[in-house]
Amino acid sequence: MQRHAPVATNAVLAAPASPDAQLVEELAAVLRRAEAGRIPVAPLTEEYEDLDLAGAYAVQEANVRIRLAAGEHLVGRKVGLTSLAMREQLGLPEASFGTLFQSMVIPDGGTIDTRELITPRAEAEVGLVLGRRLSGPRVTDAEVRAAVTQVALAVEIIDSRIADWHVSQADTVADNASSARVVVGRPVDATDDLLTGLRDECVGLYADGERVAFGLGAEVLGDPLRAVAWLARTLHAHGSALHPGELLLTGSVHASVPLTPGSRLAVRSDTGRLPGLTVTVR
């Protein structure tokens, strides 16, 4: 399989500026209503051309605060657009991050109800769990390697509250990096051999037994561990950190695939070192 050159990952986002607080709250409310009513909205950047990444992350954070205040439980983070396939599919230039809540988690063997979503798509990914806190402007791949305690396959269901997936980088960032649901397989201990081999792990997405998409771990910024290092540095710039026990989705290894009601999805690795998972699409 051809390996594509990863995007630059040494830099992180600059510390966010202070966008207009009222506008941030208004845009956050627009996205909440779109998600709750399953009625997508026009790109935020069409009406608010000055919405930059700092403002978009402020909108995302506003909705995170509201969900936490409502009693939702944060379970981890996701990194999006880490593969060239996904960046080309959406026409976006760089990685982004979002927040995962317990309400988004569907158990292995469970059911995804597309009636709760707008235009959902599936991505097979490698998930990592940390055993220690990670933060700072210069977190390295080696530090991530030392911090990871578990590895699992995952399928993330992405969904855009922006109509027809016509998103800019700021639109998807504001929209929690287009995250909607996640199914995680049984985690295994992160041995040195397993972490070393993640770059070469071929992960496939199957629909009703047929492989419909696949990719190597190396498609994710060159190494899934590198995606977590980028996330730790970027969160630090936003005044946050990665914490022990958090689930970290490192990004799709392939272009996303539309969900088909009535199908059964599975994610498997070619080596079998990571337990597979299944989920039914309703």
PDB file of all heavy atoms in Angstrom, residues 89-113:
ATOM      1  N   GLN A  89     -10.881  14.046   0.709  1.00  0.00           N
ATOM      2  CA  GLN A  89     -12.322  13.827   0.596  1.00  0.00           C
ATOM      3  C   GLN A  89     -13.115  15.077   0.963  1.00  0.00           C
ATOM      4  O   GLN A  89     -14.099  15.417   0.307  1.00  0.00           O
ATOM      5  CB  GLN A  89     -12.748  12.659   1.479  1.00  0.00           C
ATOM      6  CG  GLN A  89     -14.228  12.295   1.324  1.00  0.00           C
ATOM      7  CD  GLN A  89     -14.631  11.107   2.170  1.00  0.00           C
ATOM      8  OE1 GLN A  89     -14.335  11.068   3.364  1.00  0.00           O
ATOM      9  NE2 GLN A  89     -15.291  10.128   1.559  1.00  0.00           N
ATOM     10  N   LEU A  90     -12.690  15.775   2.014  1.00  0.00           N
ATOM     11  CA  LEU A  90     -13.402  16.968   2.465  1.00  0.00           C
ATOM     12  C   LEU A  90     -12.787  18.265   1.945  1.00  0.00           C
ATOM     13  O   LEU A  90     -13.335  19.344   2.154  1.00  0.00           O
ATOM     14  CB  LEU A  90     -13.448  17.002   3.993  1.00  0.00           C
ATOM     15  CG  LEU A  90     -14.286  15.902   4.645  1.00  0.00           C
ATOM     16  CD1 LEU A  90     -14.281  16.061   6.166  1.00  0.00           C
ATOM     17  CD2 LEU A  90     -15.716  15.892   4.121  1.00  0.00           C
ATOM     18  N   GLY A  91     -11.643  18.154   1.275  1.00  0.00           N
ATOM     19  CA  GLY A  91     -10.994  19.343   0.742  1.00  0.00           C
ATOM     20  C   GLY A  91     -10.468  20.274   1.811  1.00  0.00           C
ATOM     21  O   GLY A  91     -10.488  21.496   1.650  1.00  0.00           O
ATOM     22  N   LEU A  92      -9.976  19.694   2.913  1.00  0.00           N
ATOM     23  CA  LEU A  92      -9.495  20.490   4.043  1.00  0.00           C
ATOM     24  C   LEU A  92      -8.009  20.240   4.263  1.00  0.00           C
ATOM     25  O   LEU A  92      -7.506  19.151   4.008  1.00  0.00           O
ATOM     26  CB  LEU A  92     -10.299  20.156   5.301  1.00  0.00           C
ATOM     27  CG  LEU A  92     -11.805  20.421   5.185  1.00  0.00           C
ATOM     28  CD1 LEU A  92     -12.524  20.006   6.454  1.00  0.00           C
ATOM     29  CD2 LEU A  92     -12.071  21.895   4.872  1.00  0.00           C
ATOM     30  N   PRO A  93      -7.290  21.241   4.775  1.00  0.00           N
ATOM     31  CA  PRO A  93      -5.830  21.170   4.744  1.00  0.00           C
ATOM     32  C   PRO A  93      -5.133  20.579   5.952  1.00  0.00           C
ATOM     33  O   PRO A  93      -3.963  20.209   5.860  1.00  0.00           O
ATOM     34  CB  PRO A  93      -5.432  22.650   4.600  1.00  0.00           C
ATOM     35  CG  PRO A  93      -6.510  23.383   5.359  1.00  0.00           C
ATOM     36  CD  PRO A  93      -7.765  22.595   5.104  1.00  0.00           C
ATOM     37  N   GLU A  94      -5.797  20.495   7.123  1.00  0.00           N
ATOM     38  CA  GLU A  94      -5.027  20.140   8.308  1.00  0.00           C
ATOM     39  C   GLU A  94      -5.858  19.399   9.339  1.00  0.00           C
ATOM     40  O   GLU A  94      -7.092  19.347   9.258  1.00  0.00           O
ATOM     41  CB  GLU A  94      -4.438  21.402   8.939  1.00  0.00           C
ATOM     42  CG  GLU A  94      -5.482  22.422   9.377  1.00  0.00           C
ATOM     43  CD  GLU A  94      -4.862  23.730   9.831  1.00  0.00           C
ATOM     44  OE1 GLU A  94      -4.517  23.821  11.023  1.00  0.00           O
ATOM     45  OE2 GLU A  94      -4.723  24.643   8.991  1.00  0.00           O
ATOM     46  N   ALA A  95      -5.163  18.816  10.296  1.00  0.00           N
ATOM     47  CA  ALA A  95      -5.826  18.058  11.357  1.00  0.00           C
ATOM     48  C   ALA A  95      -6.619  18.980  12.271  1.00  0.00           C
ATOM     49  O   ALA A  95      -6.396  20.190  12.333  1.00  0.00           O
ATOM     50  CB  ALA A  95      -4.777  17.286  12.169  1.00  0.00           C
ATOM     51  N   SER A  96      -7.576  18.381  12.987  1.00  0.00           N
ATOM     52  CA  SER A  96      -8.372  19.123  13.969  1.00  0.00           C
ATOM     53  C   SER A  96      -8.727  18.157  15.092  1.00  0.00           C
ATOM     54  O   SER A  96      -8.512  16.957  14.984  1.00  0.00           O
ATOM     55  CB  SER A  96      -9.646  19.684  13.333  1.00  0.00           C
ATOM     56  OG  SER A  96     -10.466  18.627  12.844  1.00  0.00           O
ATOM     57  N   PHE A  97      -9.287  18.686  16.181  1.00  0.00           N
ATOM     58  CA  PHE A  97      -9.681  17.797  17.274  1.00  0.00           C
ATOM     59  C   PHE A  97     -11.096  18.093  17.730  1.00  0.00           C
ATOM     60  O   PHE A  97     -11.635  19.180  17.512  1.00  0.00           O
ATOM     61  CB  PHE A  97      -8.702  17.887  18.458  1.00  0.00           C
ATOM     62  CG  PHE A  97      -8.781  19.167  19.251  1.00  0.00           C
ATOM     63  CD1 PHE A  97      -9.747  19.342  20.242  1.00  0.00           C
ATOM     64  CD2 PHE A  97      -7.877  20.197  19.031  1.00  0.00           C
ATOM     65  CE1 PHE A  97      -9.820  20.514  20.983  1.00  0.00           C
ATOM     66  CE2 PHE A  97      -7.939  21.381  19.763  1.00  0.00           C
ATOM     67  CZ  PHE A  97      -8.917  21.537  20.740  1.00  0.00           C
ATOM     68  N   GLY A  98     -11.702  17.076  18.361  1.00  0.00           N
ATOM     69  CA  GLY A  98     -13.026  17.212  18.938  1.00  0.00           C
ATOM     70  C   GLY A  98     -13.093  16.462  20.252  1.00  0.00           C
ATOM     71  O   GLY A  98     -12.116  15.838  20.676  1.00  0.00           O
ATOM     72  N   THR A  99     -14.256  16.501  20.894  1.00  0.00           N
ATOM     73  CA  THR A  99     -14.443  15.911  22.217  1.00  0.00           C
ATOM     74  C   THR A  99     -15.442  14.759  22.144  1.00  0.00           C
ATOM     75  O   THR A  99     -16.464  14.864  21.455  1.00  0.00           O
ATOM     76  CB  THR A  99     -14.945  16.979  23.210  1.00  0.00           C
ATOM     77  OG1 THR A  99     -13.997  18.053  23.245  1.00  0.00           O
ATOM     78  CG2 THR A  99     -15.092  16.405  24.609  1.00  0.00           C
ATOM     79  N   LEU A 100     -15.150  13.675  22.855  1.00  0.00           N
ATOM     80  CA  LEU A 100     -16.011  12.500  22.898  1.00  0.00           C
ATOM     81  C   LEU A 100     -16.723  12.439  24.242  1.00  0.00           C
ATOM     82  O   LEU A 100     -16.097  12.591  25.290  1.00  0.00           O
ATOM     83  CB  LEU A 100     -15.187  11.226  22.703  1.00  0.00           C
ATOM     84  CG  LEU A 100     -14.344  11.145  21.423  1.00  0.00           C
ATOM     85  CD1 LEU A 100     -13.488   9.875  21.442  1.00  0.00           C
ATOM     86  CD2 LEU A 100     -15.236  11.182  20.186  1.00  0.00           C
ATOM     87  N   PHE A 101     -18.040  12.184  24.205  1.00  0.00           N
ATOM     88  CA  PHE A 101     -18.846  12.055  25.409  1.00  0.00           C
ATOM     89  C   PHE A 101     -19.410  10.643  25.518  1.00  0.00           C
ATOM     90  O   PHE A 101     -19.579   9.947  24.517  1.00  0.00           O
ATOM     91  CB  PHE A 101     -19.986  13.076  25.392  1.00  0.00           C
ATOM     92  CG  PHE A 101     -19.536  14.499  25.464  1.00  0.00           C
ATOM     93  CD1 PHE A 101     -19.273  15.214  24.308  1.00  0.00           C
ATOM     94  CD2 PHE A 101     -19.346  15.122  26.690  1.00  0.00           C
ATOM     95  CE1 PHE A 101     -18.844  16.537  24.375  1.00  0.00           C
ATOM     96  CE2 PHE A 101     -18.915  16.436  26.774  1.00  0.00           C
ATOM     97  CZ  PHE A 101     -18.665  17.144  25.608  1.00  0.00           C
ATOM     98  N   GLN A 102     -19.730  10.260  26.750  1.00  0.00           N
ATOM     99  CA  GLN A 102     -20.271   8.924  26.974  1.00  0.00           C
ATOM    100  C   GLN A 102     -21.542   8.696  26.160  1.00  0.00           C
ATOM    101  O   GLN A 102     -21.800   7.585  25.689  1.00  0.00           O
ATOM    102  CB  GLN A 102     -20.569   8.725  28.470  1.00  0.00           C
ATOM    103  CG  GLN A 102     -21.047   7.326  28.826  1.00  0.00           C
ATOM    104  CD  GLN A 102     -19.997   6.265  28.521  1.00  0.00           C
ATOM    105  OE1 GLN A 102     -18.848   6.400  28.949  1.00  0.00           O
ATOM    106  NE2 GLN A 102     -20.381   5.242  27.776  1.00  0.00           N
ATOM    107  N   SER A 103     -22.335   9.743  25.960  1.00  0.00           N
ATOM    108  CA  SER A 103     -23.579   9.612  25.200  1.00  0.00           C
ATOM    109  C   SER A 103     -23.341   9.271  23.732  1.00  0.00           C
ATOM    110  O   SER A 103     -24.272   8.859  23.027  1.00  0.00           O
ATOM    111  CB  SER A 103     -24.382  10.913  25.295  1.00  0.00           C
ATOM    112  OG  SER A 103     -23.639  12.005  24.784  1.00  0.00           O
ATOM    113  N   MET A 104     -22.111   9.432  23.259  1.00  0.00           N
ATOM    114  CA  MET A 104     -21.770   9.125  21.876  1.00  0.00           C
ATOM    115  C   MET A 104     -21.295   7.687  21.705  1.00  0.00           C
ATOM    116  O   MET A 104     -21.154   7.211  20.570  1.00  0.00           O
ATOM    117  CB  MET A 104     -20.673  10.093  21.398  1.00  0.00           C
ATOM    118  CG  MET A 104     -21.075  11.549  21.444  1.00  0.00           C
ATOM    119  SD  MET A 104     -19.662  12.701  21.329  1.00  0.00           S
ATOM    120  CE  MET A 104     -19.078  12.354  19.675  1.00  0.00           C
ATOM    121  N   VAL A 105     -21.040   6.993  22.808  1.00  0.00           N
ATOM    122  CA  VAL A 105     -20.439   5.659  22.749  1.00  0.00           C
ATOM    123  C   VAL A 105     -21.516   4.591  22.579  1.00  0.00           C
ATOM    124  O   VAL A 105     -22.478   4.531  23.343  1.00  0.00           O
ATOM    125  CB  VAL A 105     -19.621   5.373  24.024  1.00  0.00           C
ATOM    126  CG1 VAL A 105     -19.041   3.960  23.984  1.00  0.00           C
ATOM    127  CG2 VAL A 105     -18.502   6.410  24.174  1.00  0.00           C
ATOM    128  N   ILE A 106     -21.328   3.748  21.574  1.00  0.00           N
ATOM    129  CA  ILE A 106     -22.198   2.602  21.321  1.00  0.00           C
ATOM    130  C   ILE A 106     -21.383   1.341  21.605  1.00  0.00           C
ATOM    131  O   ILE A 106     -20.241   1.224  21.158  1.00  0.00           O
ATOM    132  CB  ILE A 106     -22.697   2.606  19.869  1.00  0.00           C
ATOM    133  CG1 ILE A 106     -23.593   3.824  19.637  1.00  0.00           C
ATOM    134  CG2 ILE A 106     -23.444   1.315  19.531  1.00  0.00           C
ATOM    135  CD1 ILE A 106     -23.961   4.037  18.205  1.00  0.00           C
ATOM    136  N   PRO A 107     -21.927   0.384  22.356  1.00  0.00           N
ATOM    137  CA  PRO A 107     -21.143  -0.804  22.699  1.00  0.00           C
ATOM    138  C   PRO A 107     -20.850  -1.679  21.485  1.00  0.00           C
ATOM    139  O   PRO A 107     -21.619  -1.707  20.515  1.00  0.00           O
ATOM    140  CB  PRO A 107     -22.034  -1.539  23.705  1.00  0.00           C
ATOM    141  CG  PRO A 107     -23.412  -1.061  23.407  1.00  0.00           C
ATOM    142  CD  PRO A 107     -23.270   0.362  22.954  1.00  0.00           C
ATOM    143  N   ASP A 108     -19.748  -2.381  21.539  1.00  0.00           N
ATOM    144  CA  ASP A 108     -19.417  -3.375  20.522  1.00  0.00           C
ATOM    145  C   ASP A 108     -20.579  -4.356  20.413  1.00  0.00           C
ATOM    146  O   ASP A 108     -21.062  -4.886  21.413  1.00  0.00           O
ATOM    147  CB  ASP A 108     -18.133  -4.093  20.945  1.00  0.00           C
ATOM    148  CG  ASP A 108     -17.660  -5.094  19.913  1.00  0.00           C
ATOM    149  OD1 ASP A 108     -18.208  -5.135  18.799  1.00  0.00           O
ATOM    150  OD2 ASP A 108     -16.732  -5.858  20.247  1.00  0.00           O
ATOM    151  N   GLY A 109     -21.055  -4.596  19.187  1.00  0.00           N
ATOM    152  CA  GLY A 109     -22.209  -5.451  18.982  1.00  0.00           C
ATOM    153  C   GLY A 109     -23.537  -4.721  19.047  1.00  0.00           C
ATOM    154  O   GLY A 109     -24.593  -5.331  18.867  1.00  0.00           O
ATOM    155  N   GLY A 110     -23.501  -3.415  19.304  1.00  0.00           N
ATOM    156  CA  GLY A 110     -24.711  -2.626  19.445  1.00  0.00           C
ATOM    157  C   GLY A 110     -25.274  -2.150  18.114  1.00  0.00           C
ATOM    158  O   GLY A 110     -24.942  -2.680  17.049  1.00  0.00           O
ATOM    159  N   THR A 111     -26.104  -1.104  18.191  1.00  0.00           N
ATOM    160  CA  THR A 111     -26.814  -0.612  17.010  1.00  0.00           C
ATOM    161  C   THR A 111     -26.649   0.892  16.871  1.00  0.00           C
ATOM    162  O   THR A 111     -26.792   1.632  17.851  1.00  0.00           O
ATOM    163  CB  THR A 111     -28.317  -0.947  17.103  1.00  0.00           C
ATOM    164  OG1 THR A 111     -28.475  -2.370  17.166  1.00  0.00           O
ATOM    165  CG2 THR A 111     -29.076  -0.423  15.894  1.00  0.00           C
ATOM    166  N   ILE A 112     -26.369   1.335  15.666  1.00  0.00           N
ATOM    167  CA  ILE A 112     -26.339   2.754  15.320  1.00  0.00           C
ATOM    168  C   ILE A 112     -27.678   3.096  14.691  1.00  0.00           C
ATOM    169  O   ILE A 112     -28.067   2.486  13.683  1.00  0.00           O
ATOM    170  CB  ILE A 112     -25.206   3.070  14.331  1.00  0.00           C
ATOM    171  CG1 ILE A 112     -23.842   2.768  14.943  1.00  0.00           C
ATOM    172  CG2 ILE A 112     -25.274   4.531  13.880  1.00  0.00           C
ATOM    173  CD1 ILE A 112     -22.724   2.752  13.926  1.00  0.00           C
ATOM    174  N   ASP A 113     -28.385   4.042  15.254  1.00  0.00           N
ATOM    175  CA  ASP A 113     -29.683   4.450  14.730  1.00  0.00           C
ATOM    176  C   ASP A 113     -29.499   5.682  13.851  1.00  0.00           C
ATOM    177  O   ASP A 113     -29.299   6.791  14.354  1.00  0.00           O
ATOM    178  CB  ASP A 113     -30.647   4.748  15.881  1.00  0.00           C
ATOM    179  CG  ASP A 113     -32.084   4.919  15.404  1.00  0.00           C
ATOM    180  OD1 ASP A 113     -32.299   5.066  14.185  1.00  0.00           O
ATOM    181  OD2 ASP A 113     -32.983   4.910  16.259  1.00  0.00           O
TER     182      ASP A 113
END
